[in-house]
Amino acid sequence: MAGRTATNRIAALAAKAPDRRRFSRVEINVLGRFMLENRREYPCQAVNMSPGGAAFISPVMGEVGERVVAYLDHIGRVEGKIVREIDGGFAMTLNASARKRDKLASVLTWLANKDELNLPEDRRFDRFTPKNPITKIILPDGREYACRIVDVSLSGAALKTDVRPALGTPITLGKMRARIVRHFEEGVAVEFATVQNKELLEHHITNAEKR
């Protein structure tokens, strides 16, 4: 039922509306990075989006009117201008052709259905414990915390840790981007930004640098 509601709501995403906001936005949780006019890149999390605009949570905010180019998981490259500041981030318009907006509406349909149906953690991939289970979590503000990998698959991991970042928080695990998707008694579960290559996963998820 929730999936049908999400599909119906997004069916009109690419249609013009008479109010100031031309497109209805849907809530999402998508990790990525963006570049400001100074050509520096920063991490971000898209929290809502439509084919005409988006809101990002980020440790860095640009100026209203500044051009932004963002690269988002599942979505790809988008660009536009900052229109206002929001709590912890900024909102921006999206400049895109009609074809790109149609494609974006389709991707948002999938993302909204996935979130609203509260799909269980992906178990398509076998889990294992890496040879070196000690790694670290890096939060968006740069704080680092040691943690132990309970188990890991190509799509996510369970971590034993004393810190409990909020659900949806983007983190870096070893050298990989991920987000918090679940809390449990001894730690947290994370979902990787993209499905990983099995041969490289263990190298990237643990502390590769030796001191």
Side-chain angles (χ1 to χ4, degrees), residues 139-157:
L139 298 183
D141 62 8
R143 287 179 294 166
E144 299 183 6
Y145 299 94
C147 64
R148 176 181 291 272
I149 301 167
V150 178
D151 58 42
V152 62
S153 77
L154 301 189
S155 62

Side-chain angles (χ1 to χ4, degrees), residues 127-166:
R127 291 179 167 259
F128 65 95
T129 301
K131 295 177 182 177
N132 176 15
I134 304 302
T135 186
K136 62 183 177 181
I137 291 173
I138 305 175
L139 298 183
D141 62 8
R143 287 179 294 166
E144 299 183 6
Y145 299 94
C147 64
R148 176 181 291 272
I149 301 167
V150 178
D151 58 42
V152 62
S153 77
L154 301 189
S155 62
L159 309 173
K160 185 176 181 180
T161 175
D162 293 331
V163 297
R164 300 287 195 285

Side-chain angles (χ1 to χ4, degrees), residues 21-142:
R21 178 175 288 180
R22 295 173 55 202
F23 304 98
S24 298
R25 295 194 183 190
V26 294
E27 293 184 0
I28 58 174
N29 284 297
V30 175
L31 301 178
R33 64 189 192 278
F34 69 96
M35 183 173 65
L36 296 175
E37 291 179 1
N38 61 11
R39 304 192 68 80
R40 295 186 62 182
E41 289 192 351
Y42 307 96
C44 66
Q45 177 184 358
V47 293
N48 68 59
M49 181 174 281
S50 78
F56 294 96
I57 300 299
S58 170
V60 174
M61 290 179 282
E63 300 290 335
V64 172
E66 186 170 6
R67 181 173 178 267
V68 176
V69 177
Y71 299 87
L72 304 173
D73 298 328
H74 307 297
I75 293 172
R77 183 182 188 275
V78 296
E79 64 178 279
K81 290 185 177 181
I82 297 175
V83 292
R84 66 182 182 279
E85 293 185 3
I86 62 173
D87 187 20
F90 60 89
M92 64 178 285
T93 59
L94 296 181
N95 298 329
S97 64
R99 180 178 179 182
K100 180 72 178 284
R101 284 177 173 165
D102 286 343
K103 182 179 179 181
L104 180 55
S106 296
V107 175
L108 291 174
T109 299
W110 176 78
L111 288 171
N113 284 335
K114 176 178 180 293
D115 290 340
E116 290 203 9
L117 288 172
N118 194 25
L119 297 179
E121 189 177 349
D122 193 345
R123 295 287 181 175
R124 291 175 300 163
F125 305 105
D126 293 336
R127 291 179 167 259
F128 65 95
T129 301
K131 295 177 182 177
N132 176 15
I134 304 302
T135 186
K136 62 183 177 181
I137 291 173
I138 305 175
L139 298 183
D141 62 8

Side-chain angles (χ1 to χ4, degrees), residues 191-209:
E191 178 185 65
F192 300 141
T194 57
V195 174
Q196 301 299 307
N197 179 302
K198 189 173 183 178
E199 295 178 0
L200 297 177
L201 175 60
E202 189 163 347
H203 172 73
H204 289 317
I205 199 174
T206 57
N207 291 329
E209 293 113 354

